[in-house]
Amino acid sequence: MSHFLKIHIQEIVSLSEDEFETVQALFIKKKFRKRQFLVQENQPVNEIFLIEKGFVKSSIIDSSGKEHILQFASSNWWISDFAGFFKQENSSLAIDCIEEAEVYSISFENMNLLCSQMPKMEHFFRIKSNFGYVALQQRILSLMSKTARERYEDFVKQYPGFTEHIPKQLIASYLGVSRETLSRLY
Amino acid sequence: MSHFLKIHIQEIVSLSEDEFETVQALFIKKKFRKRQFLVQENQPVNEIFLIEKGFVKSSIIDSSGKEHILQFASSNWWISDFAGFFKQENSSLAIDCIEEAEVYSISFENMNLLCSQMPKMEHFFRIKSNFGYVALQQRILSLMSKTARERYEDFVKQYPGFTEHIPKQLIASYLGVSRETLSRLY
DNA sequence: CGCGCGATTGAGTAATTTCAAATCTAGTGG
DNA sequence: CCACTAGATTTGAAATTACTCAATCGCGCG
C-alpha cells in the first residue's frame, strides 16, 4: 500500500483504511525516464498524474515553433493536459519528463467513479481544483504586472527546489521571456 | 423562485424541486450600481457572486499604481476574490460594478454547507472550478505566446458582447497592454 | 454649456527580442 | 584518463515592440 498517496490525500480529507484501499485501487503507479512523454500532443488525454518523485513539465509549441511552458511539477504536484482531460478531447499540450519520475495516474473513468461513489474524494478534487485556480490567477497577475527580473526572483523564492533541477532556459520559457533575457538579468 | 439560478445550475446537475429549494435558500439576491464595490481591497471576502445581469470586474492596483484586470463577468459568470474567499483571508482584489448588476451571492459557510449536505452541489462546484482552471490556463498561454493584437482579436471573438459594454481601456488592462498600445492597433 | 471620461496621436525612451557566435559543462565512448 | 559532443549558458549588436508622458479630440450627461 502506498504511504505517499495516503499522506497526500490526507492533507485534505481523512479516509478510513477501507476507503483508502478503494481509492488506491483506482490509481496506477508508473515510471518515466528523462525525455519520455506522459502525454503527447494531439492524443487522447486518458489520465492525470500525481508526481511522487522527479520533475515533469507541460508545454505547448506555438505557431512560430517556440515552446511555452505551462507548468512544472515535482513531488505532490498534479499534472496533465487538464483541458483535454476534463473535456475528453485530444491534447494540445505535451507533458514530458525532465528528470526520471515516479507517478500515480488515475483515468477519467476512475476519477468520475471515485467522485460519484465517495463524496470525500469529490471534495478532495474540488479543493485541489480551487487552489489550482487561485495559483493560476496569481501567475496571470505576475505576468501582467511584474518585470522579468521580479518574476524570476518570485519563482526562485516560491519554488526553491526547482532551480537546481530545471535548466534555466526552461524556466525562462515558464516566465514568458527568452533565455537570453533571463541570462542577462544577473 | 429563481428561474435564472435553476437554469444555471441545471446546466451541470439536475435537481428535484425540493433540492432546488434548499439550494436557493442559501443564496441572496443583490443589486449593485455602476462603480459600486462588491468586494473591497483588504476586506474579508465573505461571498462569491453569480451574475444574472450587468457587468462586473475584478482588479488589483499594483505597486506603481496601475490597475490590472483579472476578470470581467456578465450573465452566468461567477466572480469574487477567489483566493481570499477559499483561504478566508482579506481581499487583495477589488470587485466592482461596470454596469448596473443583479447577482446571486453565497457565503463561505453556506457554500460549505451545501457541498457537505448535497453531493450534487459539490459536484457542481468541482466542475465549475475545473473549467475555470482550464480557462485561466488558456489565458496564460495567450499572454505568453500571442501579440497584443492577437489577444485583442481573440477577446473580441470569444466575448462578443463584452466589447460593447466595457471601455477599451479596461480591455487593454485585461489584455496586459497599455490603453495607448491597444488604441494604436487599429 | 461645461465637465468628466474615454479614445487617440505624437515623440522619446526603455525593455525585450532576434540572430549569431562564443563559451562552458556534463556525460560518453575509446 | 582524455577527447568528443550535445546541451546549456552567455554575450554582442541591431531591430522591434511596447511603454510613458503629454497633448488633443470627441461625446454624452447633468
Side-chain angles (χ1 to χ4, degrees):
Chain A
M1 88 129 212
S2 162
H3 196 59
F4 170 76
L5 194 55
K6 187 169 186 177
I7 298 287
H8 178 83
I9 293 170
Q10 293 207 335
E11 300 246 322
I12 292 180
V13 294
S14 61
L15 298 180
S16 71
E17 280 305 315
D18 279 0
E19 284 171 332
F20 179 67
E21 290 301 326
T22 309
V23 170
Q24 193 188 188
L26 299 178
F27 281 84
I28 301 173
K29 177 138 195 189
K30 298 187 175 181
K31 293 187 187 195
F32 293 92
R33 299 252 173 82
K34 194 169 173 171
R35 282 168 209 281
Q36 197 180 343
F37 284 105
L38 286 73
V39 175
Q40 274 187 278
E41 205 200 314
N42 218 30
Q43 298 288 128
V45 187
N46 299 314
E47 34 188 8
I48 57 177
F49 305 92
L50 170 64
I51 313 294
E52 179 171 8
K53 288 188 209 172
F55 285 83
V56 172
K57 67 175 162 68
S58 66
S59 63
I60 192 168
I61 309 290
D62 73 15
S63 47
S64 71
K66 215 175 356 176
E67 180 184 38
H68 300 277
I69 293 185
L70 207 55
Q71 193 194 340
F72 294 120
S74 66
S75 188
N76 279 298
W77 290 60
W78 291 82
I79 195 167
S80 189
D81 178 340
F82 293 106
F85 182 78
F86 292 130
K87 298 180 180 172
Q88 284 291 283
E89 294 172 352
N90 281 359
S91 177
S92 48
L93 303 178
I95 320 282
D96 70 306
C97 195
I98 298 174
E99 205 172 85
E100 182 128 325
E102 295 179 24
V103 314
Y104 288 89
S105 88
I106 183 169
S107 70
F108 189 70
E109 292 72 26
N110 282 347
M111 184 178 177
N112 286 335
L113 205 65
L114 204 49
C115 286
S116 60
Q117 292 182 350
M118 205 184 289
K120 281 180 190 175
M121 287 306 293
E122 180 129 53
H123 181 74
F124 172 83
F125 284 116
R126 178 174 71 91
I127 299 301
K128 280 284 170 195
S129 185
N130 286 344
F131 284 110
Y133 182 92
V134 167
L136 291 192
Q137 217 172 249
Q138 281 308 116
R139 177 134 172 247
I140 288 172
L141 283 177
S142 166
L143 278 170
M144 294 202 304
S145 69
K146 297 191 176 177
T147 64
R149 166 175 267 126
E150 289 173 316
R151 295 206 296 278
Y152 181 69
E153 284 170 355
D154 288 354
F155 181 87
V156 172
K157 227 177 280 174
Q158 203 172 353
Y159 310 116
F162 283 32
T163 43
E164 296 143 33
H165 297 271
I166 298 173
K168 284 215 172 105
Q169 53 178 320
L170 296 184
I171 296 179
S173 166
Y174 176 87
L175 296 175
V177 293
S178 68
R179 56 176 176 274
E180 293 95 332
T181 299
L182 182 63
S183 171
R184 276 185 258 262
L185 292 182
Y186 289 95
Chain B
M1 89 130 211
S2 163
H3 197 57
F4 170 76
L5 194 55
K6 187 169 187 177
I7 299 286
H8 178 81
I9 292 170
Q10 294 207 335
E11 300 245 322
I12 292 180
V13 293
S14 61
L15 299 180
S16 70
E17 280 305 315
D18 279 0
E19 284 171 331
F20 179 67
E21 290 300 325
T22 309
V23 171
Q24 193 188 188
L26 299 178
F27 281 84
I28 300 173
K29 177 139 194 190
K30 298 186 175 182
K31 293 188 186 193
F32 293 92
R33 299 254 173 81
K34 192 169 172 171
R35 282 170 210 280
Q36 198 180 344
F37 285 104
L38 286 74
V39 174
Q40 274 186 278
E41 204 200 314
N42 217 30
Q43 298 288 129
V45 188
N46 300 314
E47 35 189 7
I48 57 177
F49 305 91
L50 170 64
I51 313 294
E52 179 171 9
K53 286 188 211 171
F55 286 83
V56 172
K57 68 175 162 66
S58 66
S59 62
I60 192 168
I61 310 290
D62 73 15
S63 47
S64 71
K66 215 174 356 176
E67 180 185 37
H68 300 278
I69 294 185
L70 208 54
Q71 193 194 340
F72 295 119
S74 67
S75 188
N76 280 298
W77 290 60
W78 291 81
I79 195 167
S80 190
D81 177 341
F82 293 107
F85 182 78
F86 292 131
K87 298 181 182 174
Q88 285 291 281
E89 295 170 353
N90 281 359
S91 176
S92 49
L93 304 178
I95 320 282
D96 70 307
C97 194
I98 297 174
E99 204 171 86
E100 181 129 324
E102 295 180 24
V103 313
Y104 288 88
S105 87
I106 183 168
S107 69
F108 189 70
E109 292 72 27
N110 282 347
M111 185 178 176
N112 286 334
L113 205 66
L114 205 48
C115 286
S116 61
Q117 292 181 350
M118 205 184 288
K120 279 181 190 174
M121 287 305 293
E122 181 130 53
H123 180 75
F124 172 83
F125 284 115
R126 178 173 71 91
I127 299 300
K128 280 283 171 195
S129 184
N130 286 345
F131 284 110
Y133 182 92
V134 167
L136 291 192
Q137 217 170 252
Q138 282 308 115
R139 178 134 171 247
I140 287 172
L141 283 177
S142 166
L143 278 169
M144 293 202 306
S145 69
K146 297 191 176 177
T147 64
R149 167 176 266 122
E150 288 173 318
R151 296 206 296 279
Y152 182 68
E153 284 169 356
D154 288 354
F155 181 86
V156 172
K157 227 176 279 174
Q158 202 172 355
Y159 310 116
F162 282 32
T163 44
E164 295 143 33
H165 296 272
I166 297 173
K168 283 209 174 121
Q169 54 179 317
L170 296 184
I171 296 178
S173 165
Y174 176 88
L175 296 175
V177 292
S178 69
R179 57 176 175 272
E180 293 96 332
T181 299
L182 182 63
S183 171
R184 276 184 258 263
L185 292 182
Y186 291 93

